[in-house]
């Protein structure tokens, strides 16, 4: 499977696509926006992947797999079919920044990307609404005006510079002959006024075209079997995976030189790319939705004086800084779950009950007592989010571990069950209050999976502050994992984190 990923195995689909052009008519460019369905026309093949029909374009490159490569792609591996991947708002902003030098994040005005399991880059869910199409048009006009002014001021305003030079970067591949002709006519029309107008019209058109707005893989043919993606397609696979943006000049040059076709060549580029600060984009774009950090901003807490409007942003920043530090140090999932340090400022230190002496509003790395706090699971962004406004929640915290860490969610509750935590009682601990609800028919089947995990978090209150007692009683933070590959008892989150860090199931889930 690893070889299959590196050499770029792709499944075949049938249907007419952007790779099938007749008499200079590039249908892929004309269908820049669509409802995301896999119809028979335009860039969408009947299997949901564009550009699979007709003759492979000039950029097809490596073409079909060799026998040995095809063997590596067969067996239990099914590469599936690829839908046209529309750029997300994050990818659009990054691409515009790298392509045009515009760091204004123009996609912030776009409609929100549809989320699937918190992630915003599920290709099948990313359609184009009328509102988004209108935004594409408006932003293309504004961006093209600024870009053409800059290019022409730097003497990069000839037809070849704009159509072929700029087009190579915008489309992440060389333009085909028919495209060069079509965009050349657009330039000529604008150049009747002046060269900058010609450049503006071409850039504006390209920023609304399918090859810019979508990642289209068109090197396949409509025959059975597997194909190998082209060097330029591999360049985009790598750049959008590791940088959430377009390929840089070195990747494009490697594609031009046909040096992205072997495992060693791809690995060399990956090693280079991982050293770039751009990789932080990938780290953030995965971990933020994985932990639902965007939802941290909507939290409200009752009865916790240290909780402030800025606390939510500080917690999100803490986790972002922590994840970035782990990635830069050794990139280990085990470290992510068990690192004995975090990042706090004066506000967070007060919320967590830590010593805030000498701290400011800036985040500072601090060492932790590993018997109390350890790794990701003891950070406020998770502890406060997976809790109620006025109390901790063994159910939510247990569900987070089951869902996000183990990929083993419990079945949904019965339709007729009213979901509410047991009422607060000043004479009982949370564990005592939840004992009754865990023994209720219709509830216990699921809660035997959730509560024994979530109760291990009981040393942390609703805002993530460590506590040894609740309502004057010593907290029992013992718990148990069942139906996992690391089943067994644990006491507190630190022991739970170490068990999870040793789990192959957790590694596969992550």
């Amino acid at each position: 499977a690893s070889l299959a990923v590196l050499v770029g195995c792709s499944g075949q689909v049938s249907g007419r696509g952007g790779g099938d052009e007749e008499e200079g008519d590039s249908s892929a460019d004309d269908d820049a926006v669509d409802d995301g369905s896999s119809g028979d026309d335009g860039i969408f093949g009947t299997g949901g992947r564009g550009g699979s029909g007709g003759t492979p374009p000039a950029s097809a490159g490596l073409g079909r797999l060799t026998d040995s490569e095809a063997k590596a792609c067969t067996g239990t591996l099914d590469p599936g079919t690829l839908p046209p991947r529309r750029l997300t708002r994050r990818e659009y902003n990054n691409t515009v920044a790298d392509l045009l030098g515009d760091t204004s994040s123009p996609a912030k005005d776009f409609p929100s990307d549809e989320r699937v399991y918190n992630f915003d880059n599920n290709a099948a869910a990313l359609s184009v609404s009328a509102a988004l199409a209108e935004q594409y048009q408006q932003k293309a006009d504004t961006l093209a005006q600024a870009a053409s002014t800059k290019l022409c001021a730097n003497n990069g305003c000839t037809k070849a510079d704009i159509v072929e030079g700029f087009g190579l970067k915008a489309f992440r591949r060389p333009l085909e002959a028919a495209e060069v002709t079509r965009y050349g006519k657009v330039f000529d029309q604008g150049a009747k006024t002046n060269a900058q107008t010609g450049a503006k019209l071409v850039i504006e058109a390209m920023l609304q075209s399918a090859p810019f707005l979508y990642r289209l893989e068109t090197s396949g043919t409509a025959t059975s079997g597997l194909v190998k993606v082209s060097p330029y397609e591999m360049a985009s696979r790598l750049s959008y995976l590791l940088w959430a943006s377009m390929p840089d000049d070195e990747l494009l040059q490697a594609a031009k030189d046909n040096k992205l076709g072997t495992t060693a060549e791809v690995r060399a580029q990956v090693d280079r790319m991982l050293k770039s600060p751009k990789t932080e984009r990938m780290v953030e774009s995965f971990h933020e939705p994985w932990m639902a950090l965007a939802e941290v901003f909507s939290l409200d807490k009752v009865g916790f004086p240290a909780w402030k409007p800025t606390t939510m942003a500080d917690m999100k920043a803490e986790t972002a800084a922590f994840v970035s530090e782990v990635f830069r140090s050794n990139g280990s999932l085990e470290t992510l779950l068990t690192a004995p340090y975090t990042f706090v400022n004066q506000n967070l230190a007060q919320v967590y009950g830590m010593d805030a002496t000498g701290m400011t509003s800036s985040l500072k790395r601090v060492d932790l007592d590993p018997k109390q706090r350890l790794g990701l699971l003891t950070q406020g962004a998770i502890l406060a989010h997976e809790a109620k406004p006025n109390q901790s929640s063994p159910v939510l915290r247990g569900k987070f571990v089951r869902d996000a860490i183990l990929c083993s969610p419990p079945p949904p509750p019965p339709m007729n069950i009213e979901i509410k935590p047991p009422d607060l009682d000043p004479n009982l601990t949370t564990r005592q209050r939840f004992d009754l609800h865990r023994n209720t028919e219709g509830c216990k089947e699921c809660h035997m999976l959730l509560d024994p995990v979530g109760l291990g978090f009981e040393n942390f209150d609703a805002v993530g502050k460590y506590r040894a007692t609740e309502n004057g009683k010593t907290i029992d933070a013992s718990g148990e994992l069942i139906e996992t590959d690391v089943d067994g008892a644990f006491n507190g989150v630190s022991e739970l984190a170490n068990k999870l860090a040793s789990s192959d199931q957790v590694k596969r889930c992550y």
Side-chain angles (χ1 to χ4, degrees), residues 465-486:
K465 181 179 179 179
Y466 187 86
R467 60 185 182 179
T469 63
E470 182 185 13
N471 293 331
K473 300 181 179 181
T474 301
I475 286 178
D476 176 3
S478 62
E480 184 182 11
L481 284 169
I482 62 173
E483 298 185 15
T484 74
D485 65 342
V486 286

Side-chain angles (χ1 to χ4, degrees), residues 405-419:
I405 309 297
L406 288 161
C407 288
S408 181
M415 295 293 291
N416 59 345
I417 295 293
E418 180 182 2
I419 301 175

Side-chain angles (χ1 to χ4, degrees), residues 92-244:
Y92 185 98
N93 283 335
N94 292 340
T95 302
V96 164
D98 291 340
L99 176 65
L100 305 176
D102 187 298
T103 57
S104 64
S105 298
K108 65 181 181 293
D109 299 323
F110 292 177
S112 297
D113 293 322
E114 187 72 23
R115 289 181 177 267
V116 178
Y117 298 112
N118 286 333
F119 290 90
D120 63 2
N121 64 340
N122 187 297
L126 295 178
S127 60
V128 176
S129 64
L132 180 55
E134 183 178 4
Q135 284 291 330
Y136 281 152
Q137 184 179 20
Q138 293 175 358
K139 297 302 181 183
D141 178 63
T142 303
L143 293 169
Q145 181 63 54
S148 61
T149 300
K150 182 188 297 185
L151 288 171
C152 292
N154 294 327
N155 298 318
C157 210
T158 67
K159 183 193 293 189
D161 288 331
I162 300 301
V163 174
E164 298 181 59
F166 179 84
L168 168 66
K169 295 185 175 182
F171 288 4
R172 283 90 67 178
R173 59 163 174 79
L175 271 66
E176 298 164 19
E179 293 172 324
V180 172
T181 299
R182 293 178 64 228
Y183 284 105
K185 291 178 180 179
V186 174
F187 183 92
D188 292 339
Q189 185 66 30
K192 293 178 180 178
T193 302
N194 53 48
Q196 182 175 333
T197 301
K200 177 185 180 297
L201 291 181
V202 171
I203 295 171
E204 186 175 356
M206 287 183 172
L207 293 181
Q208 296 176 80
S209 69
F212 174 76
L213 294 172
Y214 293 87
R215 286 194 286 138
L216 303 172
E217 298 194 351
T218 61
S219 61
T221 59
T223 58
S224 61
L226 300 167
V227 297
K228 188 174 185 179
V229 299
S230 77
Y232 286 99
E233 291 167 353
M234 178 59 78
S236 283
R237 283 192 178 194
L238 291 174
S239 67
Y240 281 96
L241 171 66
L242 298 179
W243 290 343

Side-chain angles (χ1 to χ4, degrees), residues 223-403:
T223 58
S224 61
L226 300 167
V227 297
K228 188 174 185 179
V229 299
S230 77
Y232 286 99
E233 291 167 353
M234 178 59 78
S236 283
R237 283 192 178 194
L238 291 174
S239 67
Y240 281 96
L241 171 66
L242 298 179
W243 290 343
S245 187
M246 60 179 283
D248 65 357
D249 289 342
E250 188 165 339
L251 262 180
L252 290 174
Q253 185 63 46
K256 179 181 180 181
D257 295 339
N258 199 14
K259 292 183 177 179
L260 289 175
T262 68
T263 299
E265 290 169 345
V266 170
R267 188 183 301 279
Q269 288 295 332
V270 170
D271 289 342
R272 175 185 73 86
M273 295 170 70
L274 286 175
K275 298 174 184 176
S276 169
K278 293 181 183 180
T279 311
E280 296 287 332
R281 300 168 175 173
M282 176 269 290
V283 175
E284 179 184 0
S285 66
F286 171 73
H287 290 89
E288 180 179 321
W290 178 53
M291 294 180 285
L293 292 185
E295 299 177 22
V296 174
F297 284 103
S298 63
L299 297 181
D300 190 20
K301 298 295 177 180
V302 180
F304 298 92
W307 186 269
K308 302 175 182 178
T310 57
T311 301
M312 297 175 285
D314 289 340
M315 287 180 170
K316 183 177 178 180
E318 172 195 9
T319 299
F322 172 76
V323 170
S324 178
E325 176 73 8
V326 172
F327 180 80
R328 285 196 301 265
S329 60
N330 64 7
S332 163
L333 174 59
E334 290 83 354
T335 303
L336 196 70
L337 293 171
T338 63
Y341 60 82
T342 191
F343 291 79
V344 299
N345 57 14
Q346 186 179 49
N347 182 26
L348 284 182
Q350 292 171 347
V351 172
Y352 293 157
M354 297 177 177
D355 183 5
T357 304
M359 289 194 176
T360 67
S361 60
S362 299
L363 292 173
K364 176 184 177 182
R365 175 172 165 164
V366 297
D367 293 329
L368 303 171
D369 178 352
K371 294 181 180 179
Q372 294 186 0
R373 291 183 182 271
L374 204 63
L376 195 65
L377 296 179
T378 58
Q379 295 185 3
I382 291 175
L383 293 170
H385 183 256
E386 307 304 335
K388 297 296 183 180
N390 62 343
Q391 60 182 293
S392 64
S393 175
V395 175
L396 291 178
R397 290 171 176 176
K399 186 175 185 297
F400 177 83
V401 172
R402 286 280 175 185
D403 278 358

